[in-house]
Amino acid sequence: MKKEEKSKALNVKGYMVVESVRFGTHQGCALAENPKAVQPFVTWQFNEDKGATDMFWGHYFSGKEKAVADFTKRIGEYRKDIPYTQITAI
């Protein structure tokens, strides 16, 4: 079941999370942007536990298209089998 929600943007190391997908396992993937960074786009995997979010395994990109493609690739395997929530930052 897909559910879309608006959420406050999360700032991680200067990068603002612009989109994330959370799976039923309290894990997910995020796409973030920092226009001032040398590589302004990143995708991360994350875990959530007791209200805390731990971002890890970052893939950094200089172009948005490659970052979006990587974000899509990272979540693609899960969409078929695991319930998820897509969150778009305001």
Side-chain angles (χ1 to χ4, degrees):
M1 172 187 296
K2 181 177 176 181
K3 180 180 178 186
E4 294 188 16
E5 301 176 4
K6 289 188 177 179
S7 174
K8 293 181 182 177
L10 177 63
N11 185 318
V12 180
K13 298 180 184 178
Y15 286 82
M16 296 301 291
V17 174
V18 294
E19 189 169 357
S20 66
V21 174
R22 185 178 333 142
F23 306 108
T25 57
H26 301 286
Q27 298 174 326
C29 295
L31 172 65
E33 180 178 3
N34 178 352
K36 296 179 181 179
V38 174
Q39 292 181 303
F41 301 95
V42 61
T43 64
W44 285 298
Q45 286 185 263
F46 66 83
N47 291 321
E48 293 180 323
D49 186 32
K50 299 178 184 173
T53 302
D54 178 34
M55 301 284 190
F56 57 93
W57 288 336
H59 298 175
Y60 293 81
F61 301 90
S62 57
K64 186 175 183 175
E65 287 181 19
K66 288 185 179 181
V68 170
D70 185 67
F71 177 69
T72 301
K73 179 181 175 184
R74 292 182 93 166
I75 63 174
E77 295 175 1
Y78 296 97
R79 285 190 182 235
K80 295 177 185 172
D81 301 320
I82 300 174
Y84 67 95
T85 301
Q86 183 168 350
I87 299 175
T88 304
I90 296 174

